[in-house]
Amino acid sequence: MGQYDTFVTDVLVIGAGLAGERAAIESARNGLNVILLSLVPPRRSHSSAAQGGMQAALGNTAMGKGDSPDVHFLDTVKGSDWGCEQDVARLFAETAPIVMREMAHWGVPWSRVTTEPRIYDGKEIHEDPQKVGLIAARNFGGTAKWRTCYTSDGTGHTVLYTMDSMVQKYGITVHDRVEALSLIHDGETCYGAVVRSLRTGELSVYTAKSTVIATGGYGRLYGASTNAVINEGSGMSIAMDTGVVPLGNMEAVQFHPTGIVPSWILITEGARGDGGYLLDKNLYRFMPDYEPNKKELASRDVVSRRMMQHIRAGFGVDSPYGQHLWLDIRHLGAKHINTNLREIATICREFNGIDPVHELIPVRPTQHYSMGGIRTNIHGQAYGLKNLYALGESACWDLHGFNRLGGNSLAETVVAGKIIGEKIAEFTKDVSLNVSTSLVEEHLHLQQGRIDRLRSQKSGKENVYDLRNRMENTLSHNVGIFRTEGPLQEAVDELRELYERSQSIGLRGSGAGADPELGLALRLPGMIKLALSIAKGALVRQESRGSHFREDFPKRDDVNWLKRTLAYWPESAKEPDLKYEPVTITELPPGDRGYGEATATSKSAPTK
């Protein structure tokens, strides 16, 4: 094999966003050596793009009065459409307030309660003078109380910069501009990863007592997504490649109601939480017709479906990029928009040339989040391989079930980071690293062989960019917000074919060094595996639950489908093998979600 760099550590964390950094910090605080791997410099991780906030039951504001972890737990379970693990949801809700205050102690500049009254939905709200200066909260969808802690609309940015400063404080080693190509394992235990440099293209080996995957979501499998270009599900795919680690609930794909048209950059839920309205082509506020109680702040899956339903009814705004609707925040005023919503104001001005202080924002539901991921237990341990952990969006912990509430995922990164980080540290202290050189070289040789074959131009003639475009279009057109058997079967058939063709990719360039075409050629087969897991899981699940909405099976079916999908990809298989496990119900039996969706009827919007 020749010479290659080898790094040995106690804990190897793949992914340096909020979840990965928080878990790394917990390990380092317990005296362990930690190496963080990242595709980009950590402060450029996709966590920095999160806008709206983090949910935690602090009860500091007038509209949060009476909030508690119990209420947060109930909101989370209902939001998940009873698809989550209730013991996980309870642990999360109880721990979140502790972690938000810890973040403040570390330096996060949370927006604070002020004496200034504000207007919300036509009502003037006054805060308790005794609560002035405490961490403030804004309204988010699917919640009974205002509990989303925020820093204007740049929460991910401020928390990530604070977290990264703590990484430096604890002396954690960070290797950026690298990507993990495979896990080193013997079918029973994980020992680290084979990693490719994005600077030179050279391979290195990282071995560790514990390996942690925290690589975020797979949004870029879809053609239109709010996700950063690095969010291709790489951590999920290398776990699935082991043949023994399953992915949970991959058919559960969240579409955010307000992606700005046509760049699909996220317009935070905080805009609606602060009082923004959704309007149709007649400038009519239609959401109260569908959801009279929660209006624009029903659960995200509900709002996205109502928006597309309204467009289907003929009330969409025509544009060169397809029909859309309007988000109106003009009535919030220049001061509020340029302070609490300043990031989206900048996005509107820079990317669309519009000023939201005076103009409407064009929006349409857009792929945003993956509830599915590497299936773990409550301690973050991955199914199938010892010494392997996963957390954050790359994992199916499973806090979110079939729909996650806005503000719960960003909170999950730091809450799970603390909880699971403690378990990783506790476990790693008692583990010895015993990995054979032959096993390491076997995995290294396998990845080098893939690279050599691609560079030799002997793999085939398939164009990697054409295959990717077809994958994106297949998911976007056939596995979207509304799903039916015919298009789903088409997607499964198409993706099977694309996976076969991905085994015969031929490079157009030399593949030398850090060639991005080579990088995509290495990743694409795994990406198509994820796409096929999404499509097949959606085809087989004959019910509607949360974000998974089957028009041919429009009701939730708790008798047959109150269970989690587990997608395995055995060695040499051409498609995933689907198995199922029961959902943990500890406190709240299945019932009505309370959004009025089951009985709502669409009203026609008046023409103006």
Side-chain angles (χ1 to χ4, degrees), residues 69-83:
D70 291 338
V71 182
H72 190 181
F73 167 81
L74 293 174
D75 287 343
T76 299
V77 174
K78 291 177 181 178
S80 78
D81 218 352
W82 277 269

Side-chain angles (χ1 to χ4, degrees), residues 380-510:
Q381 296 168 316
Y383 284 21
L385 277 184
K386 300 174 184 176
N387 302 18
L388 179 65
Y389 291 79
L391 73 161
E393 193 176 350
S394 64
C396 181
W397 189 22
D398 175 15
L399 172 63
H400 307 300
F402 272 75
N403 176 72
R404 64 98 171 172
L405 298 182
N408 262 5
S409 64
L410 195 58
E412 180 194 13
T413 61
V414 291
V415 175
K418 178 180 177 63
I419 294 169
I420 294 172
E422 290 173 349
K423 294 298 181 181
I424 293 168
E426 179 183 320
F427 170 81
T428 306
K429 286 179 178 179
D430 298 326
V431 173
S432 298
L433 177 58
N434 297 306
V435 55
S436 68
T437 302
S438 61
L439 181 65
V440 171
E441 293 200 343
E442 175 188 338
H443 284 274
L444 186 67
H445 179 77
L446 180 63
Q447 297 308 314
Q448 188 63 57
R450 294 176 63 206
I451 292 171
D452 292 342
R453 284 192 298 274
L454 286 165
R455 285 176 173 167
S456 71
Q457 303 288 319
K458 295 179 181 178
S459 296
K461 298 184 181 299
E462 295 289 350
N463 185 307
V464 67
Y465 298 108
D466 289 345
L467 295 182
R468 177 175 186 154
N469 287 339
R470 287 190 61 179
M471 174 195 71
E472 291 178 356
N473 291 334
T474 297
L475 284 180
S476 295
H477 294 154
N478 296 346
V479 197
I481 294 173
F482 294 105
R483 302 170 175 181
T484 53
E485 181 176 358
L488 288 173
Q489 186 64 62
E490 289 178 19
V492 170
D493 294 342
E494 172 81 359
L495 291 166
R496 282 181 185 143
E497 177 193 338
L498 292 178
Y499 179 69
E500 286 290 303
R501 291 172 60 185
S502 73
Q503 308 304 304
S504 301
I505 292 171
L507 300 184
R508 299 306 184 262
S510 67

Side-chain angles (χ1 to χ4, degrees), residues 99-347:
V99 175
M100 295 311 120
R101 294 185 177 104
E102 179 183 58
M103 294 296 100
H105 177 68
W106 286 2
V108 172
W110 294 118
S111 294
R112 301 281 173 163
V113 176
T114 68
T115 57
E116 185 176 344
R118 57 173 299 188
I119 303 297
Y120 181 79
D121 213 13
K123 300 176 182 177
E124 192 172 81
I125 300 171
H126 294 267
E127 299 292 351
D128 183 346
Q130 295 184 351
K131 298 294 184 71
V132 170
L134 298 181
I135 298 171
R138 63 173 22 137
N139 199 9
F140 253 44
T143 63
K145 301 289 183 179
W146 292 26
R147 75 169 68 90
T148 305
C149 312
Y150 63 99
T151 60
S152 297
D153 60 346
T155 308
H157 178 97
T158 56
V159 178
L160 182 62
Y161 272 56
T162 301
M163 195 75 70
D164 197 52
S165 295
M166 297 299 290
V167 165
Q168 296 179 48
K169 173 182 176 179
Y170 282 100
I172 296 170
T173 300
V174 177
H175 292 176
D176 61 27
R177 298 179 181 87
V178 296
E179 64 175 338
L181 295 184
S182 72
L183 296 175
I184 299 170
H185 69 96
D186 58 8
E188 295 183 357
T189 305
C190 182
Y191 298 101
V194 177
V195 175
R196 174 176 176 260
S197 169
L198 297 179
R199 293 182 176 92
T200 66
E202 296 299 316
L203 298 185
S204 300
V205 168
Y206 291 75
T207 58
K209 297 176 181 179
S210 297
T211 301
V212 184
I213 296 177
T215 51
Y218 54 66
R220 283 293 163 174
L221 299 185
Y222 280 77
S225 173
T226 66
N227 285 199
V229 295
I230 60 174
N231 286 33
E232 297 174 327
S234 58
M236 299 180 202
S237 63
I238 63 173
M240 192 176 216
D241 284 345
T242 65
V244 295
V245 177
L247 305 182
N249 283 350
M250 289 298 283
E251 65 267 37
V253 183
Q254 183 170 85
F255 290 78
H256 195 287
T258 53
I260 192 170
V261 179
S263 65
W264 314 121
I265 298 172
L266 176 67
I267 299 298
T268 175
E269 189 163 304
R272 287 173 287 127
D274 286 4
Y277 304 146
L278 289 170
L279 308 179
D280 63 17
K281 70 177 183 181
N282 300 314
L283 304 187
Y284 175 73
R285 186 185 179 191
F286 59 90
M287 278 303 299
D289 292 347
Y290 296 104
E291 306 294 335
N293 294 323
K294 295 298 289 184
K295 304 169 188 173
E296 284 84 1
L297 288 171
S299 189
R300 283 181 177 176
D301 62 306
V302 175
V303 177
S304 292
R305 281 196 293 277
R306 293 308 192 192
M307 291 173 69
M308 294 308 297
Q309 181 179 346
H310 205 62
I311 289 174
R312 283 177 164 189
F315 298 108
V317 181
D318 291 328
S319 84
Y321 314 103
Q323 291 192 326
H324 63 76
L325 296 164
W326 297 115
L327 175 63
D328 186 6
I329 61 174
R330 296 172 298 179
H331 53 284
L332 301 182
K335 180 179 178 181
H336 185 93
I337 292 170
N338 291 324
T339 53
N340 285 359
L341 300 172
R342 61 191 177 196
E343 185 171 310
I344 68 165
T346 299
I347 289 169

